[in-house]
Amino acid sequence: MTQGCGAISRRDVLKTSAAGAAIAGSLGTGSVALAQADASAPPTAAVRMKVNGKQTSLTLDTRTTLLDTLREHLKLTGTKKGCDHGQCGACTVIVNGRRINSCLTLAVMHEGDEVTTIEGLGTVGDLHPMQAAFVEHDGYQCGYCTPGQICSAVAVLEEIRAGIPSHVTEDIGAAPGMTTLEMRERMSGNICRCGAYSNIAEAMAQVAGVEA
Amino acid sequence: MRPFTYERATSAQDAAAKAAAMPGARFIAGGTNLLDLMKLEIETPGHLIDVNGLGMDQIVETPEGGLRIGALVRNTDLAADRRVRKDYGVLTRALVAGASGQLRNKATTAGNLLQRTRCPYFYDVNMPCNKRKPGSGCGAIGGFSRQLGVIGTSEACIATHPSDMAVAMRVLDASVETMRPDGTTRAIPIAEFHKLPGQTPQTETALEKGELIISVALPKPTGGTHIYRKVRDRASYAFALVSVAAVIGRDGKGAVALGGVAPKPWRVEEADALLSKGAQAVSDRLFADATPREDNAFKIMLAKRTIASVIAEAKG
Ligand SMILES: Cc1cc2nc3c(=O)[nH]c(=O)nc-3n(C[C@H](O)[C@H](O)[C@H](O)COP(=O)(O)OP(=O)(O)OC[C@H]3O[C@@H](n4cnc5c(N)ncnc54)[C@H](O)[C@@H]3O)c2cc1C
Ligand code: SF4
Ligand code: FES
Ligand code: FES
């Protein structure tokens, strides 16, 4: 991690790191600060994308993930950072109609893309049916994983409707059924530390119009 | 993450030529493995060539009656393809057993083949690892080796290849089609694509510097029952401890490949010939010369039992 550290002390690293935090891809790890300390400014690139229906144009440090772009640059803090390594699903957003982990993709790779975050699904006064169902069924406790769960849940129902098979699809020659078994398997990429899983499954079943 | 410059590739040959000419240049496709490793500074490319704009995202029928899968076909789309589900069920089954829905939406055919090991010592930059830092030693040998390999390994490295998709492609005799920096193309049989570690575990595939995967070709379908059985610590969203990919005909003949046990999808053609003799015979041949460690010796028994259950399922 600290290769190339040279004469810079840990204290210096922390100092620069705090100063550089506003443009840093990941906060306070030191590596970012090192890059700024020993080289000229890090490379940037321009990207345009539509976020929740709004056209945005940004010039970013190439290292910036889509997740950090949403949170730090566009102030769309609904999308959460859990693991930052594709393991928890808290950062799930919908890009061009498909759910992805926004932590494992660079913003500059999304030129021309349409991104929908939890803020774009519904508003406080006009909830998306999945948001309303999560409220009704208590599909959360602390709520940290919830934006990712909801974005995932919305996309999962679309994936089943589109006939995409899953690990629990018995006959892959046929279309998968709209069942809770299918929904549960497809939600395995969204971890909930509070264990709200059964209530999430009920919320999804309600929106899908099937028995939980 | 280390700083890097970034460009969007405009043609396959241009991408390959640039990757060969620029020191520290790497292709990026789905990014789900490369970025994970870049965050940990296990991978430190100075330049990224984004290949996502190159097309290469179609699945077409070949004149030989098989399928040609573009390098950028996403795992979700490959698993859902009508022809793959009908004629190469083992591939769909392997794909949907891997990662999560979100990851499969991004992960590409080429990136999946080239994903790097999940050896915990490879991931821990404070530990010695001959793959990450050649000559530094192997933290896994003598360490906690439950997830590591039992066959095809070496005294330098006992890591496994983590892909599910690649195991199915091995049983299907796929070939990896590439373009080299000079614009020439070649087809590499999947059996020769991944390399055993020997003394150079940092060399993982037959690809040359800058060589770009264009597509993966599947031969004409052979029929038979297609099964992919993955055994893991939880029912979903976990890497395999052991997996078995099999295509078995009505006559009991067929092919079998294993995941989770070796540095590459593990298939021994002589073991295929023993399928009608049962799991013990197949397993004995597949694991001849195995070098299990205390923590992972269970994989051999687990693989045998999984093969037995797969053979039973194929009999119907
Ligand atoms: C939490 C988690 C769980 C996972 N679980 C599983 C699992 O259970 N089973 C499983 O099989 N996988 C699993 N994966 C791994 C996943 O399948 C891989 O990350 C994915 O397939 C990589 O594809 P990509 O397109 O994102 O590759 P990238 O990250 O874009 O690239 C990977 C490598 O391939 C190179 N590359 C990409 N395209 C080309 C090309 N056309 N030509 C030459 N080189 C190229 C890149 O330079 C890089 O070195 C998991 C991943 C995560 C994060
Ligand atoms: S098994 Fe291979 S990857 Fe793991 S620590 Fe040893 S050399 Fe590194
Ligand atoms: S923050 Fe992206 S998967 Fe955990
Ligand atoms: S509601 Fe707390 S982590 Fe899911």
Side-chain angles (χ1 to χ4, degrees), chain A residues 67 80-92 100-104 144 189 191, chain B residues 39 102-103 237:
Chain A
L67 172 60
K80 297 291 185 270
K81 183 184 287 189
C83 63
D84 214 19
H85 285 279
Q87 297 170 357
C88 74
C91 66
T92 305
I100 65 165
N101 303 104
S102 61
C103 70
L104 280 191
Y144 197 80
I191 311 293
Chain B
K39 289 181 183 196
Q102 291 96 314
L103 289 161
Y237 201 23

Short mmCIF file of all heavy atoms in Angstrom, two decimals, chain A residues 67 80-92 100-104 144 189 191, chain B residues 39 102-103 237, ligand 3:
data_model
loop_
_atom_site.label_atom_id
_atom_site.label_comp_id
_atom_site.label_asym_id
_atom_site.label_seq_id
_atom_site.Cartn_x
_atom_site.Cartn_y
_atom_site.Cartn_z
N LEU A 67 -20.03 5.41 -8.00
CA LEU A 67 -20.57 5.62 -6.65
C LEU A 67 -20.08 6.94 -6.06
O LEU A 67 -20.89 7.75 -5.58
CB LEU A 67 -20.15 4.44 -5.75
CG LEU A 67 -20.47 4.58 -4.25
CD1 LEU A 67 -21.97 4.73 -4.02
CD2 LEU A 67 -19.94 3.36 -3.49
N LYS A 80 -25.54 4.18 -1.23
CA LYS A 80 -24.62 4.01 -0.10
C LYS A 80 -23.37 3.22 -0.46
O LYS A 80 -23.39 2.37 -1.36
CB LYS A 80 -25.35 3.28 1.04
CG LYS A 80 -26.54 4.07 1.60
CD LYS A 80 -26.09 5.31 2.35
CE LYS A 80 -27.23 6.05 3.02
NZ LYS A 80 -27.85 7.07 2.15
N LYS A 81 -22.30 3.52 0.30
CA LYS A 81 -21.08 2.73 0.18
C LYS A 81 -20.98 1.78 1.37
O LYS A 81 -20.89 2.23 2.51
CB LYS A 81 -19.85 3.66 0.15
CG LYS A 81 -18.54 2.90 -0.04
CD LYS A 81 -17.31 3.81 0.02
CE LYS A 81 -17.18 4.67 -1.22
NZ LYS A 81 -15.87 5.41 -1.25
N GLY A 82 -21.04 0.49 1.08
CA GLY A 82 -20.90 -0.48 2.16
C GLY A 82 -19.48 -1.02 2.17
O GLY A 82 -18.66 -0.67 3.02
N CYS A 83 -19.17 -1.84 1.18
CA CYS A 83 -17.87 -2.51 1.14
C CYS A 83 -16.90 -1.87 0.16
O CYS A 83 -15.69 -2.00 0.29
CB CYS A 83 -18.08 -3.96 0.72
SG CYS A 83 -18.76 -4.12 -0.95
N ASP A 84 -17.43 -1.21 -0.87
CA ASP A 84 -16.64 -0.64 -1.97
C ASP A 84 -15.93 -1.72 -2.81
O ASP A 84 -15.02 -1.41 -3.56
CB ASP A 84 -15.60 0.37 -1.43
CG ASP A 84 -15.37 1.54 -2.39
OD1 ASP A 84 -16.22 1.77 -3.26
OD2 ASP A 84 -14.33 2.22 -2.26
N HIS A 85 -16.36 -2.97 -2.69
CA HIS A 85 -15.72 -4.06 -3.44
C HIS A 85 -16.70 -5.04 -4.09
O HIS A 85 -16.37 -6.20 -4.31
CB HIS A 85 -14.75 -4.83 -2.54
CG HIS A 85 -13.48 -4.07 -2.27
ND1 HIS A 85 -12.44 -4.05 -3.17
CD2 HIS A 85 -13.11 -3.29 -1.24
CE1 HIS A 85 -11.46 -3.28 -2.68
NE2 HIS A 85 -11.84 -2.81 -1.52
N GLY A 86 -17.91 -4.58 -4.35
CA GLY A 86 -18.85 -5.45 -5.07
C GLY A 86 -19.45 -6.56 -4.24
O GLY A 86 -20.08 -7.47 -4.77
N GLN A 87 -19.27 -6.50 -2.94
CA GLN A 87 -19.69 -7.64 -2.11
C GLN A 87 -21.01 -7.45 -1.38
O GLN A 87 -21.56 -8.41 -0.87
CB GLN A 87 -18.60 -7.95 -1.08
CG GLN A 87 -17.31 -8.37 -1.75
CD GLN A 87 -16.14 -8.46 -0.79
OE1 GLN A 87 -16.27 -8.14 0.39
NE2 GLN A 87 -15.00 -8.89 -1.29
N CYS A 88 -21.52 -6.21 -1.28
CA CYS A 88 -22.68 -6.00 -0.40
C CYS A 88 -23.92 -5.48 -1.11
O CYS A 88 -25.02 -5.63 -0.59
CB CYS A 88 -22.30 -5.05 0.72
SG CYS A 88 -22.17 -3.31 0.20
N GLY A 89 -23.78 -4.82 -2.24
CA GLY A 89 -24.95 -4.34 -2.98
C GLY A 89 -25.52 -3.00 -2.52
O GLY A 89 -26.49 -2.51 -3.10
N ALA A 90 -24.94 -2.39 -1.47
CA ALA A 90 -25.48 -1.12 -0.97
C ALA A 90 -25.42 -0.02 -2.03
O ALA A 90 -26.20 0.93 -2.00
CB ALA A 90 -24.70 -0.67 0.27
N CYS A 91 -24.50 -0.15 -2.97
CA CYS A 91 -24.28 0.87 -4.00
C CYS A 91 -25.06 0.61 -5.28
O CYS A 91 -24.82 1.26 -6.30
CB CYS A 91 -22.79 0.90 -4.34
SG CYS A 91 -22.28 -0.66 -5.11
N THR A 92 -26.00 -0.33 -5.25
CA THR A 92 -26.71 -0.71 -6.47
C THR A 92 -27.49 0.46 -7.07
O THR A 92 -28.26 1.13 -6.37
CB THR A 92 -27.70 -1.87 -6.19
OG1 THR A 92 -26.97 -2.95 -5.62
CG2 THR A 92 -28.39 -2.33 -7.47
N ILE A 100 -26.50 -2.45 -11.42
CA ILE A 100 -25.06 -2.74 -11.30
C ILE A 100 -24.55 -2.22 -9.95
O ILE A 100 -25.22 -1.43 -9.29
CB ILE A 100 -24.22 -2.11 -12.44
CG1 ILE A 100 -24.26 -0.58 -12.37
CG2 ILE A 100 -24.69 -2.59 -13.80
CD1 ILE A 100 -23.19 0.10 -13.21
N ASN A 101 -23.34 -2.66 -9.59
CA ASN A 101 -22.69 -2.13 -8.39
C ASN A 101 -21.93 -0.88 -8.80
O ASN A 101 -20.94 -0.96 -9.53
CB ASN A 101 -21.68 -3.14 -7.83
CG ASN A 101 -22.31 -4.49 -7.51
OD1 ASN A 101 -22.14 -5.45 -8.24
ND2 ASN A 101 -23.04 -4.55 -6.43
N SER A 102 -22.37 0.28 -8.30
CA SER A 102 -21.72 1.52 -8.75
C SER A 102 -20.31 1.67 -8.18
O SER A 102 -19.54 2.50 -8.64
CB SER A 102 -22.58 2.74 -8.41
OG SER A 102 -22.77 2.85 -7.02
N CYS A 103 -19.94 0.85 -7.20
CA CYS A 103 -18.58 0.94 -6.63
C CYS A 103 -17.54 0.29 -7.52
O CYS A 103 -16.36 0.56 -7.38
CB CYS A 103 -18.54 0.32 -5.24
SG CYS A 103 -18.72 -1.48 -5.22
N LEU A 104 -17.96 -0.62 -8.40
CA LEU A 104 -16.98 -1.34 -9.22
C LEU A 104 -17.00 -0.88 -10.67
O LEU A 104 -16.78 -1.68 -11.59
CB LEU A 104 -17.22 -2.86 -9.14
CG LEU A 104 -16.68 -3.56 -7.89
CD1 LEU A 104 -16.74 -5.08 -8.07
CD2 LEU A 104 -15.25 -3.14 -7.57
N TYR A 144 -29.60 1.40 5.97
CA TYR A 144 -28.38 1.67 5.19
C TYR A 144 -28.34 0.91 3.86
O TYR A 144 -27.95 1.46 2.84
CB TYR A 144 -27.12 1.33 6.01
CG TYR A 144 -25.87 1.95 5.44
CD1 TYR A 144 -25.56 3.28 5.68
CD2 TYR A 144 -25.02 1.21 4.62
CE1 TYR A 144 -24.44 3.87 5.13
CE2 TYR A 144 -23.89 1.79 4.07
CZ TYR A 144 -23.60 3.11 4.33
OH TYR A 144 -22.49 3.69 3.78
N GLY A 189 -27.24 -10.65 -3.98
CA GLY A 189 -26.16 -9.67 -4.05
C GLY A 189 -26.39 -8.44 -3.19
O GLY A 189 -25.60 -7.50 -3.22
N ILE A 191 -26.76 -7.48 0.66
CA ILE A 191 -26.65 -7.96 2.03
C ILE A 191 -27.33 -6.95 2.98
O ILE A 191 -27.18 -5.74 2.80
CB ILE A 191 -25.17 -8.10 2.43
CG1 ILE A 191 -24.38 -8.88 1.37
CG2 ILE A 191 -25.03 -8.75 3.81
CD1 ILE A 191 -24.73 -10.32 1.19
N LYS B 39 -8.17 -1.03 -6.46
CA LYS B 39 -8.41 -0.35 -5.18
C LYS B 39 -7.45 -0.84 -4.11
O LYS B 39 -7.06 -0.09 -3.22
CB LYS B 39 -9.86 -0.58 -4.73
CG LYS B 39 -10.87 0.16 -5.56
CD LYS B 39 -12.28 -0.08 -5.05
CE LYS B 39 -13.27 0.63 -5.97
NZ LYS B 39 -14.60 0.77 -5.37
N GLN B 102 -26.20 -8.18 -10.08
CA GLN B 102 -25.55 -6.91 -10.43
C GLN B 102 -24.22 -7.15 -11.14
O GLN B 102 -23.91 -6.49 -12.13
CB GLN B 102 -25.27 -6.08 -9.17
CG GLN B 102 -26.49 -5.53 -8.47
CD GLN B 102 -26.95 -6.41 -7.33
OE1 GLN B 102 -27.04 -7.62 -7.47
NE2 GLN B 102 -27.24 -5.80 -6.20
N LEU B 103 -23.42 -8.06 -10.60
CA LEU B 103 -22.10 -8.32 -11.18
C LEU B 103 -22.23 -8.96 -12.55
O LEU B 103 -21.51 -8.61 -13.49
CB LEU B 103 -21.27 -9.21 -10.25
CG LEU B 103 -20.80 -8.52 -8.96
CD1 LEU B 103 -20.41 -9.55 -7.91
CD2 LEU B 103 -19.63 -7.59 -9.24
N TYR B 237 -24.20 -16.57 -4.14
CA TYR B 237 -23.25 -15.45 -4.00
C TYR B 237 -22.02 -15.86 -3.19
O TYR B 237 -21.65 -15.18 -2.24
CB TYR B 237 -23.98 -14.29 -3.31
CG TYR B 237 -23.38 -12.91 -3.49
CD1 TYR B 237 -22.55 -12.60 -4.56
CD2 TYR B 237 -23.69 -11.89 -2.57
CE1 TYR B 237 -22.04 -11.33 -4.71
CE2 TYR B 237 -23.18 -10.61 -2.72
CZ TYR B 237 -22.35 -10.34 -3.78
OH TYR B 237 -21.85 -9.08 -3.92
S1 FES C 3 -20.43 -0.77 -1.86
FE1 FES C 3 -20.64 -1.60 -3.84
S2 FES C 3 -21.15 -3.65 -3.42
FE2 FES C 3 -20.67 -2.89 -1.44
#
